[in-house]
Amino acid sequence: MSRPRVFITQPVAPSAILRLQGVAEVEWNPDPVHIMGKEELCAAVRRHDILFCLLHDRVDRDVIAANPELRAIASMKITPSDIDVAAATSRRIPVTVI
């Protein structure tokens, strides 16, 4: 089985990236002030199994639909207020929050 591919929408602690790299192929947006737009998110989701999003990211139905093989969405928010949970649920994609 191949390692999952994770995309992180903004930089996180280097120690967190190292831990993820122990179990997955990890790519991330290196710019801490750039908030990815919808087209950028869709392009990233197309190439990854798991989306790790931060506070300003909006993960709508189109972003979720960008990859039929998307396996999970992890959010660094307390609530999934900017994630289309219904769209994820209809595809049986788990959505996690902190």
Side-chain angles (χ1 to χ4, degrees):
M1 181 177 192
S2 64
R3 291 162 44 103
R5 297 164 298 160
V6 176
F7 184 77
I8 307 169
T9 61
Q10 288 181 308
V12 294
S15 61
I17 292 173
L18 284 173
R19 287 182 68 188
L20 277 172
Q21 287 174 326
V23 296
E25 300 298 324
V26 182
E27 290 184 46
W28 61 93
N29 164 23
D31 186 344
V33 296
H34 177 69
I35 297 169
M36 298 179 73
K38 184 175 186 169
E39 291 306 316
E40 290 175 293
L41 281 173
C42 286
V45 166
R46 282 184 196 103
R47 300 184 317 271
H48 296 87
D49 305 304
I50 299 166
L51 177 62
F52 181 165
C53 51
L54 279 79
L55 301 177
H56 305 321
D57 299 312
R58 296 190 54 77
V59 181
D60 66 11
R61 179 174 300 278
D62 295 334
V63 172
I64 293 167
N67 182 351
E69 302 299 320
L70 186 64
R71 295 172 30 190
I73 301 167
S75 175
M76 289 297 293
K77 290 180 80 169
I78 293 172
T79 67
S81 59
D82 288 329
I83 299 172
D84 187 336
V85 175
T89 300
S90 73
R91 294 239 335 257
R92 303 187 72 175
I93 298 170
V95 175
T96 65
V97 294
I98 59 170

